[in-house]
Structures are given as C-alpha cells and as structure tokens.
Amino acid sequence: MMDLPNGQSIITTTAASVSEKSSSSESLSDKGSSDLKKSFDAVVFDVLKVTPEEYAGQITLMDAPVFKAIQPEELSSCGWNKKEKHISAPNVVAFTRRFNQTSFWVVREILHAQTLKIRAEVLSLYIRTAKKLCDMNNLHAVMAVVSALQSAPIFRLTKTWALLSRKDKATFDRLDYLMSKEDNYKRLRDFISSQSMVSCIPYLAIADEFRKENTLL
C-alpha cells in the first residue's frame, strides 16, 4: 500500500487471488473458438510482444503532459487534500490517477498470465520496464510499477519470483532500495541530486514532504 500526494493510498490487496498452479482444461466443443481466440490474442493482446523500452517510452509519453499541466498553486495550496480537490488541484488528482492506472495495469497483467512460466516472464518484463523508466528519469512511473510489484497479490507469488533470473532479482532489489520511503525518501532525493537531472517526472510525495519540511522552518 503506497501513500499518494492526495492523502489516499493505492490498495491492490483487493485483487482476486490467483493460484500458482496453471490450468489448461478445455472442452472439445470450444476448441475451434479457443484456437481462434489464442491466435487473435497472440497478435493483439500479448503483453510480452512489447519491449521494456517501448513500454517505458509510452508510459512516459502519457505521464509527461499530465505532469506539465500541474500548476504551482495546486502544490503550494495543498489543494489535493481538500474536499474540493477536483477543483482546487485537478491536475494533481489527474497525475495521481495516472499512478493508480499504471500500478493496477501491472498487477492485472501479471495475475492474468495463464501459466507459471508466462507469469514469471511478465514479472520480469515489468522489472525491466521499471529500470528503463528510471533511466528515462520518470520516477513517478518507477514508483507506480515498484509499488505494484510490492503489493500483496504479486509479492506473495513465491513460485513466480523463484523463477526470476539473478539479474532481474538484483534489478528489483536496487529499485526497491532506491524508492524506499525510509528517512523521508532520502535515497531517492540523493539519487536525483547525484544525477544532476536536467528534467524528470518526479514522484509527487517527495514534493509534498519537501513542502512540509519548509513549512516548519
């Protein structure tokens, strides 16, 4: 469960539980239509047909205009914490919605995998996508993907995680460490400073915590 700038939390634990066992039962009468559906899905809906670079690029293209639309007064006034947040901070609300959309999408695609092997491949895909997002300085989306992978429905898939390569596990551990909320996101703050970023799409919780610190000074 990840805290968001508008005071809400992303909760993915309500997702339907998925067994680690695969099922391939199929009636003979449905075989023809099933084969057609599989052929169609393989062309149009197979999440594994898209590379991590393409996913990261498309996610960033969708995130960027929403972030750019946020007005300074929406942040300075803490409008997202107010009852009329859709009026006082509509763009922050929209940016938070993008976070949730990305996280729920990651959870859904992993849980929809039909076999243990495919589920592990999809999990690996999203770990690599998060790494590419980090390379592109889209920290908002990195946090969205990492929080999805940390959610109970995904993190409890022990057999799926066991199939990951050592490289993928190490990549996830580094991202998990970087995005940690510990010490007021100190590691993420230090990372941003060390990279001398010309531009980035930030995780807004950092901006909120920074505002609180300076309000107290």
Side-chain angles (χ1 to χ4, degrees), residues 1 7 9 17 31 40 45-46 57 67 76 80 88 97 126 144 153 163-165 176 197 204 206 212:
M1 184 168 66
S9 298
S17 61
K31 191 174 187 306
F40 182 75
F45 299 113
D46 189 350
F67 170 65
S76 61
W80 65 82
S88 58
R97 188 179 301 115
Y126 284 122
L163 290 181
L164 289 179
S165 68
D176 183 31
M197 293 181 178
L204 279 193
I206 295 180
K212 291 178 182 177

Side-chain angles (χ1 to χ4, degrees), residues 46-169:
D46 189 350
V47 69
L48 294 173
K49 294 295 184 181
V50 182
T51 66
E53 292 84 358
E54 291 172 317
Y55 275 131
Q58 291 301 311
I59 291 171
T60 300
L61 283 174
M62 289 187 286
D63 284 347
V66 183
F67 170 65
K68 286 171 152 184
I70 297 175
Q71 300 302 307
E73 57 268 22
E74 294 185 56
L75 299 175
S76 61
S77 67
C78 303
W80 65 82
N81 286 323
K82 299 177 180 178
K83 185 176 181 180
E84 63 280 7
K85 62 184 178 182
H86 293 282
I87 298 175
S88 58
N91 298 301
V92 173
V93 172
F95 199 50
T96 298
R97 188 179 301 115
R98 277 291 307 147
F99 184 101
N100 288 333
Q101 288 171 342
T102 301
S103 289
F104 287 131
W105 168 61
V106 171
V107 171
R108 182 190 64 196
E109 292 299 333
I110 294 174
L111 295 182
H112 276 187
Q114 297 300 304
T115 68
L116 179 60
K117 180 177 180 295
I118 293 175
R119 193 174 302 128
E121 291 175 355
V122 176
L123 175 59
S124 171
L125 173 73
Y126 284 122
I127 290 174
R128 287 179 282 124
T129 297
K131 174 61 169 62
K132 293 298 179 181
L133 286 165
C134 191
D135 294 341
M136 297 174 72
N137 296 338
N138 187 350
L139 305 178
H140 169 83
V142 175
M143 182 66 83
V145 175
V146 170
S147 67
L149 301 181
Q150 292 172 330
S151 67
I154 304 305
F155 204 71
R156 71 185 177 195
L157 300 175
T158 54
K159 293 181 181 178
T160 300
W161 285 92
L163 290 181
L164 289 179
S165 68
R166 184 175 301 177
K167 181 178 179 181
D168 284 338
K169 289 178 181 176

